[in-house]
Structures are given as structure tokens and as C-alpha cells.
Amino acid sequence: MKSATLLVALALCSAVFVAQARPRRELQQAPWDPNAPTPVLTVLPLKSNDTIYATGVVDNRVPVVAPDGTITWLGENRVTEEDGAGNPISVSQSITANYPNKEFDNPEGWRFKTKANASMTIVSKGNVDLFNAATANGKLAPAIAKAGTNAIVNGGGFAVTDALAFGRPGLQYGATVAVADQYIVDTTQDATPTAISTQSGFVDDGILAGVARARAQAGQGETVALARNVMNTNVGGTVSDVRMNANSAKWYMAPGHAIGGAANIQRTGRLYQFTQGRTRSDLGTAQGGVLNWGVSNGVTPWAAKLVPNNIYSEIDNTVNNDAGNAAAGFLNIQKSYGGKVAIRNFPGATASTAVGNAEAGGVTIAYSEGGKAQIGDYDQENDSPENDVAATTRGRGTAEAGQINIALAPNDDAESLGDVKATANQGSAVAGAFTLTNAYGTAEQGVDVNARTSEYQAIAGNVGVSQAQERSVLANSATAKTTTGSALAYNIANAAVSEQNSATTSSDATTTTGQAAGIAVSTSVGGVHSDSQGAASATTSTGNALSLGVGVSGSAFTTRAVSTSAAASKEGQAVSASWSGAASGDATADTASSAATTTGNAASAAQGYGLGVLQGKATVASSSGTEAGSAGSLAVGVSTGVIQAQSKVASSAETKDGRAQSLAGALSAAGVNSIASATSSGASETGDVTSNAQAGAIGVFHGEAAATSSSGTGCVDCISDSVANAVATGVVADALARSAADSDKNPGNALANAIAVGLISRTSNGGSSRIAVGPGQAISGGFAVSAGKKVQDTINAAMDPKAKAASVAAQTAGQKA
């Protein structure tokens, strides 16, 4: 018992002596605390602002003499596997730099920077698997990690390069950077099964695979992540995966900028590319860009089972921000000398921020010399465009999105689909796209552009051109919508050169308070058949509305042009115009325009021209209406054809308080059958009204013209005039003119005139007015020029089937007799 007590006393005495000889060790407070106690002990003999380095170098080109005299090469200890001849077939290194004091035992340790550098250079006569990684961990100080890999191989291989930098959290004065750079060259010249060695289970048949990843995260300050993978081989194929992630203000809300970049560059037989970008900042700016570039020479007989297309390229780039600007972009350029090029930008470029400006853009170019060039719908399932660019601002700030697509296939089909969206809440929204498709077979495109915001202006623009030897197709749209501000949407499309051409455009501009303008222009020219459709609309509650729709078509045999336009406003002017023109052997032009408003003037105009060699047809309609203001409407239709021409035109203008003017004109010219019909009407409760209908039918064999006009006003001392003129020529000519100017309070003036000139001419006309309060008159006239009765009977008999049958029977009976 006494011995045990003695041992305890000795232990206590030893502890006292040790405590007196060494200061007490304490856990220090956070360095940002201004009242932190004076440090008692420095655990690590390092000075403030020092840098912790970690470096690894592998290079089999550099000889190293060991102490025992043997010759090795730099970094040979990183070899994990060799072949039978002693050549490295698997090399791996991982370099890590850590901040020195994880628990703040060192009062100044938090200020140490960390830098990790991993370098690898390998030259081999066979295929090699490589893994190269650099990791830097910093705390309250910048962290930098760089990994670089360069290799020359023969027969394929698999390479991975990683760079990870973590500054938890990093200070404002420094930057956290991660860079992964990889460059691989395959010297294989023969792509036969016997010439390609197989060392790895994943890589065979001359496939060169590579992965490059860069990831940087910090709590404050600059955060940069850059990743690049370049692979070059003459035969076989490449599979490349590149990813970057830059995340600033990861752990708490703090000012910091995030910058991310990724490049995926391949030159080979067949190639597969996937590139992903993730850039984020909580408070600052966020910018992320991605580059995909590939060239395929088409010499790839053994890579087809892994890469079915000569080129497949995919981009997924997203940039997010909570408070600050966000910008995302990509560039995807692919060229193939052999087969198909398939590009999928999904989601492409997406920029989003809560408060700040958002910008997103993308450029895609696909060229295939011996196959198809497809952008978007690479699998031809028509499920989604899969070529997206989107910019979104959830709070205050502008949103801008743009896209350029070029698909070229001189010996096959080309297709380009796309979707562009700019969405803002308290700022302007601007979206635009330009698309070009050129092919030998079918050139097709379909791109939708949308700009939407709650406040300020919304602008959406879309321009497309499609050219092909056989068939050109366009179906594009533009939509601009806002609640408070102006809205502008325009869409221009052209399909040309092909045997069959089709162009369809639509634009829609909508706002509640502000100006609205919608423009749609569609042209289709060339080949055997062409059709174009342009539809435009503009709608606003408080402001002016302007709409313009144009359709133009031309071809050798058949063509059709359709255009529609509509402008609507509640408090403001409404102006709408629609124009369509078609020219070919068989031409059809259809157009319609309407303008409507509650308070303000309304004006509408529509013109259609169906100019056919054999036959032409024009159908035109225009209308305008308002409750407080003037209304004007104009409709004109012209058609030509050797066999038949038909023009049908209608115009109407109506207002409750103001003037109303309407004019309809129809003209047709044909060798066999010519028909022209014009209808016009005007009405007002408190203002002058004029209505005019003109119809002219010029036919060699038959001409038929009909003009109908009506006007009415509720004003006693206002003007109410109605005029209808119809002129027809031909062997058989029919002219009809009707005019009416009548109302309960104002009888008005009506004039109807019908003129028919032919061997058989018929006229029908009528004018009506009612004398009530004031003077009113109705004047109608008819003028017909015909041949003698004998000639008329002969022509009538020739046109009557029964008479013609009886004549044939009589001639037959006479011949038998």
C-alpha cells in the first residue's frame, strides 16, 4: 500500500515539473476574433503566409542514376504494371497538399497556402493506362491544384487526369484554382485487329479513352476550374469525358467569383465527346464556357461497335448565381470526312441568377462530307429539340439568350433543331437565333425562340435559311411576352433552291402595358413545289399594336403562299398588314389581316397575288374594328392563269365613334375561266362611312365579276357612300354589282355599275337607298355588249349538254341516211 502511494506521489511530482518546464497547450480561437489571446506555443515552426507545396513528376524520357549505379527514369516508382518486356502499361500518381493545422493548433497556420502539382509524361510503343491526380486542401487561404498529362502511345489507352482544389473557405486576396490538362497522341497507323494490341478490358480495337476533371471550391474570393482533354490519332476512335466544376461561396454567403472552362478536342477516326460544366457563385459573378471540337477522318472499321456515329458530341453547361451576374456559353464544332455527325447540346448553355443579369449563348457547327449532319434531334425521334440555350433571372436583372446553328451535309441530309429561352422577372428579356441548313438531300430546321418578362421589354428574333438539292423545310417560331413594357417578335425564314421547299414562320408579341409588334416573313423559292406560311400577331392592353405577316412562294409547277396578321389593343392604335405572293404553274395565295382596338384607331391591309401560268388563285380578307376611333380596311387580290384565275376579296371596317373606310379590289385574268369577287362593308354610329368594291374579270372564254358594297352610319349629317363596280370580259361575260347605303338615321348614297363585254353578256346591278331624314339617292347602271341572237343561240347550244347531245344524234342519223 505504501509503495502504491509512493508511485502516485512520484507521478504527480513529475507532472508538476513537466508543466513548469513547458507552457500549457490551448486550442486557439478563430483568427478573425480580434480578442484572441496571445499564443503561448507555436506548434509548427513555419512563418505566416508560407506555402505548402506538394509536387510529383513522372517522365520516362528523363534518365535517373540510382545510388547503386542502376539507371531508371524519373518517377518509375509510379509504375503499377508492366508488360513482359518491362515496358510500363499502367502508371498512377496522386499528389496532395494539405493545410498544416486542421484544428487551429497553430495560431498562424490558417494563413498557409497549398499548392499541388502533378506532372506526367509517358512515351510508349504500346497502349498505356494513366492516372494522374493533384489535390490541394486549404483553409482560410487559397488552394491551387494543377495536373498535367502528356502521353504518346500506340494502339489505344485509357488516361485520367484530375485536379481538385478546396479552399474552405478562401480569403478575398487569393484565388482557388484547379487545372486539369491532358494531351494524348496515338501513333497507330493500322486499324486491323492484328495490328491493335489489347491491354485493357475497356479499351480495345484502337480506342483511345480519356477523362479530364477539374473541381474548385472556395468560400470567398476567386474560384477557377479549367479542364482540357486533347486526343489525336489517325485511326480507331476516341472517347472523351471532360468535366469542370467551379463553386464559389460554397459554405456561406460571401463575395466571390466563379470561373469555369472546359475544352474537349479530338481528331480521330470516330469520336465520342461529352463535356459538362458546372459554375456557381452565391455572391459575385459566375462565368462558364465549354468548347467541343472534333474532326473525324472516317477510317474506323473497328470502332463502330462502340461509337455508332462517326461523331457524337454532347455539351451540358450550367451556370448558377444567387446574387450577381451569370454567363454561360458553348462552342461545338464538328467535322467528319466519313459518316454521320450527331450533336446534342442538352441542356447546352443555361445561365440562372436570382438577382443580376443572366446571359447564355451557343454556337454549333456540324459538317459531314459523307453522311448526315444533325444538331439537336440526333436520334430522329422528334421528342425534343435537345439543343437548348436558356437565360433566367428570377429577381431584378436582364436575361439574354442567343443561338447560332449551322448544319452542312453536301452529300446527305442536314437537320437543326433548337430552343432559345430568355426569362426575366424585373428586367428586359432578349432572345435570338440564326440557323442555316444546307444539304444535298433534305435540309430541315425547327427553332423556337421565347423571350418572357414581367417588367420592361421583351424581344424575340429568329432568322432561318434552308437550302437543299431535294427538299428544304423550315418551321420556326418567335414569341415575346411581357406584362409592363414593349414586346417585339420577328421571324424571318427562307427555303430555296430545292425541288420541294416549305417555310413556316410564326411570331407572337404580347404585353399588357406597352407597345407590341409582331413580324413574320416566310419565303420559299425554287424547284418543283414551294409553300410558305407566315403568321404574325401583336396584342396589348395599353399601347399600340403592330403586326405584319408575309408569305412569298415561287416554283416551276405548284406553289402556295399563306400569310396572316392580327393586331389587337384596348387602349391604343392597332395596325395590321398581311401580304402573300405566289408565282408558278399553279399558284395559290391566301392572306388575312385584322386590326382591333377599343380606344384608338384601327387599320388593316391585306394583299394577295396568285400569279399562275396555268391557273392562279388569290383569297384575301381584311377587317378593322374599334369602339372609339377611326377604322380603315384595305383588301386587294390579283390572280392570273391560262386556264383559270380566281380572286376572292373581302374587306370590312367598323367603328362606334369615328370614321370608317373600306376598300376591296379583285382582279383576275385567264384564258378560259376568270372569276373576280369583291365585297366591302363599312359601318359607323357617329362618323362618315365610305365603302368601295371593285371587281374585274378578264377572260378569253368566260369572265365573271361580282362587286358588293354596303355602308351605314348613325349620324344624320355625316357622309355614307357606297360604290360597287364590276367589269367582266369574255366569250361569255357576267357582271354583278350591288351597292347599298342605308341606315335608320341616314339614307346615304349608293352607286352600282356592272359592265359585261362578250359574245354573250349578262349584267345584274342594283343600288338601294332610303329617303328618310335627309336626301338620299340610289344609282344603278348596266352596260352589256353581245353578239346577235343567232350567235348567242349557237354558243348556248354548244354549252348546253342536252343540246349538244341532240346535235350529235342528228348528225349521226344524217350520216346513216
Side-chain angles (χ1 to χ4, degrees):
M1 184 71 180
K2 292 182 179 179
S3 60
T5 303
L6 181 60
L7 291 174
V8 171
L10 292 174
L12 291 174
C13 292
S14 300
V16 171
F17 289 135
V18 171
Q20 292 177 352
R22 185 179 63 185
R24 184 177 58 183
R25 181 171 177 172
E26 295 180 354
L27 182 65
Q28 301 300 318
Q29 296 187 25
W32 52 78
D33 186 355
N35 299 318
T38 304
V40 179
L41 176 67
T42 300
V43 178
L44 295 177
L46 296 175
K47 297 180 180 180
S48 64
N49 295 327
D50 276 357
T51 301
I52 304 301
Y53 291 96
T55 303
V57 180
V58 176
D59 192 341
N60 68 347
R61 305 171 304 168
V62 180
V64 177
V65 180
D68 59 358
T70 59
I71 298 178
T72 62
W73 47 271
L74 187 62
E76 187 177 10
N77 59 320
R78 305 294 185 183
V79 176
T80 59
E81 187 178 356
E82 296 180 349
D83 60 9
N87 297 315
I89 60 175
S90 181
V91 184
S92 175
Q93 80 167 340
S94 179
I95 306 300
T96 302
N98 288 318
Y99 59 92
N101 210 327
K102 299 182 180 180
E103 297 180 356
F104 295 97
D105 285 344
N106 173 14
E108 296 184 357
W110 60 273
R111 302 174 74 175
F112 288 98
K113 301 177 183 179
T114 55
K115 291 185 178 181
N117 188 5
S119 175
M120 182 178 292
T121 303
I122 297 294
V123 178
S124 175
K125 295 181 180 180
N127 59 356
V128 181
D129 293 345
L130 306 174
F131 178 79
N132 189 24
T135 302
N137 290 310
K139 196 162 190 178
L140 296 173
I144 299 175
K146 295 182 179 180
T149 303
N150 292 274
I152 299 177
V153 300
N154 186 69
F158 180 54
V160 177
T161 300
D162 278 348
L164 298 94
F166 300 102
R168 305 180 176 92
L171 287 184
Q172 183 67 38
Y173 64 83
T176 298
V177 180
V179 179
D181 194 3
Q182 183 169 271
Y183 193 101
I184 310 295
V185 176
D186 191 345
T187 60
T188 305
Q189 299 297 324
D190 187 2
T192 61
T194 57
I196 298 176
S197 58
T198 301
Q199 299 288 356
S200 173
F202 173 73
V203 180
D204 61 0
D205 292 347
I207 297 296
L208 184 63
V211 177
R213 296 175 295 190
R215 184 180 181 185
Q217 290 185 348
Q220 186 177 357
E222 304 286 346
T223 304
V224 181
L226 304 175
R228 184 180 72 158
N229 185 32
V230 180
M231 294 194 292
N232 190 343
T233 177
N234 291 325
V235 296
T238 59
V239 178
S240 178
D241 188 311
V242 178
R243 304 185 185 215
M244 66 83 175
N245 187 316
N247 198 329
S248 178
K250 170 67 176 177
W251 290 272
Y252 60 92
M253 176 65 75
H257 308 298
I259 301 174
N264 199 332
I265 302 173
Q266 313 294 309
R267 193 188 74 84
T268 180
R270 291 176 183 248
L271 66 91
Y272 174 96
Q273 286 180 324
F274 174 77
T275 306
Q276 184 184 79
R278 293 290 184 269
T279 309
R280 178 178 176 80
S281 175
D282 285 348
L283 181 60
T285 60
Q287 298 174 331
V290 171
L291 167 65
N292 272 19
W293 185 86
V295 176
S296 169
N297 56 29
V299 185
T300 357
W302 309 109
K305 63 182 181 182
L306 183 61
V307 186
N309 304 314
N310 264 44
I311 292 179
Y312 175 83
S313 180
E314 182 173 348
I315 289 179
D316 175 5
N317 187 26
T318 301
V319 178
N320 291 318
N321 203 343
D322 289 336
N325 298 332
F330 69 82
L331 180 62
N332 200 336
I333 302 176
Q334 306 295 328
K335 181 179 180 180
S336 173
Y337 293 97
K340 177 181 175 181
V341 174
I343 296 177
R344 182 175 186 254
N345 300 317
F346 189 71
T350 301
S352 176
T353 181
V355 179
N357 301 325
E359 298 176 350
V363 177
T364 305
I365 301 175
Y367 174 83
S368 178
E369 198 166 280
K372 297 180 179 180
Q374 292 180 319
I375 300 174
D377 184 28
Y378 71 101
D379 52 6
Q380 293 185 309
E381 293 182 355
N382 297 315
D383 47 359
S384 63
E386 297 181 336
N387 179 31
D388 299 344
V389 172
T392 303
T393 300
R394 298 184 295 276
R396 180 171 295 279
T398 62
E400 298 178 354
Q403 187 181 85
I404 296 177
N405 304 304
I406 300 176
L408 308 174
N411 296 296
D412 212 310
D413 300 336
E415 181 185 22
S416 180
L417 302 180
D419 192 1
V420 183
K421 294 180 180 179
T423 304
N425 188 19
Q426 296 177 354
S428 300
V430 180
F434 171 78
T435 305
L436 170 64
T437 53
N438 187 291
Y440 174 83
T442 299
E444 185 176 359
Q445 64 176 262
V447 178
D448 298 329
V449 177
N450 291 272
R452 300 173 185 267
T453 182
S454 298
E455 300 180 11
Y456 300 99
Q457 63 182 1
I459 300 175
N462 198 348
V463 178
V465 178
S466 184
Q467 300 172 337
Q469 176 72 20
E470 297 178 359
R471 184 168 172 261
S472 296
V473 180
L474 293 93
N476 299 337
S477 67
T479 303
K481 291 187 177 182
T482 180
T483 302
T484 303
S486 300
L488 170 63
Y490 65 91
N491 194 348
I492 300 174
N494 174 263
V497 183
S498 310
E499 294 179 2
Q500 296 184 1
N501 300 277
S502 177
T504 302
T505 61
S506 64
S507 66
D508 181 17
T510 304
T511 182
T512 302
T513 303
Q515 320 299 328
I519 301 173
V521 179
S522 179
T523 61
S524 178
V525 180
V528 177
H529 172 75
S530 295
D531 68 84
S532 63
Q533 299 182 39
S537 64
T539 304
T540 180
S541 296
T542 304
N544 301 322
L546 171 64
S547 178
L548 172 63
V550 177
V552 179
S553 294
S555 67
F557 293 95
T558 59
T559 186
R560 185 187 181 193
V562 179
S563 64
T564 60
S565 177
S569 176
K570 290 184 178 180
E571 297 179 5
Q573 320 298 328
V575 179
S576 175
S578 181
W579 195 94
S580 65
S584 70
D586 187 344
T588 301
D590 297 330
T591 183
S593 174
S594 65
T597 181
T598 303
T599 303
N601 301 323
S604 175
Q607 297 183 35
Y609 300 87
L611 309 179
V613 178
L614 298 179
Q615 63 179 9
K617 183 178 180 181
T619 303
V620 183
S622 175
S623 64
S624 64
T626 180
E627 293 186 3
S630 299
S633 177
L634 170 67
V636 177
V638 179
S639 63
T640 63
V642 174
I643 299 176
Q644 178 174 286
Q646 182 176 352
S647 297
K648 188 175 182 180
V649 178
S651 174
S652 66
E654 183 176 351
T655 179
K656 290 185 177 181
D657 186 8
R659 297 183 60 185
Q661 293 178 309
S662 176
L663 172 63
L667 176 63
S668 63
V672 179
N673 188 25
S674 178
I675 300 174
S677 174
T679 302
S680 176
S681 64
S684 175
E685 294 184 2
T686 62
D688 298 338
V689 178
T690 59
S691 176
N692 198 319
Q694 306 289 332
I698 303 174
V700 176
F701 183 75
H702 176 236
E704 180 179 337
T708 303
S709 175
S710 63
S711 66
T713 180
C715 175
V716 177
D717 56 351
C718 293
I719 298 174
S720 177
D721 293 339
S722 175
V723 178
N725 294 320
V727 179
T729 65
V731 175
V732 178
D734 296 307
L736 169 65
R738 292 180 179 177
S739 179
D742 194 7
S743 67
D744 294 338
K745 297 182 180 181
N746 192 326
N749 303 310
L751 174 63
N753 188 26
I755 300 175
V757 179
L759 295 180
I760 298 179
S761 300
R762 293 166 290 194
T763 61
S764 177
N765 54 73
S768 64
S769 66
R770 182 177 58 83
I771 299 177
V773 179
Q777 60 179 347
I779 302 175
S780 62
F783 179 77
V785 178
S786 301
K789 187 174 183 306
K790 184 176 181 180
V791 176
Q792 294 185 39
D793 293 341
T794 303
I795 295 175
N796 290 329
M799 297 178 61
D800 188 356
K802 295 182 179 180
K804 185 175 181 181
S807 176
V808 172
Q811 293 179 3
T812 303
Q815 291 176 357
K816 290 182 179 180

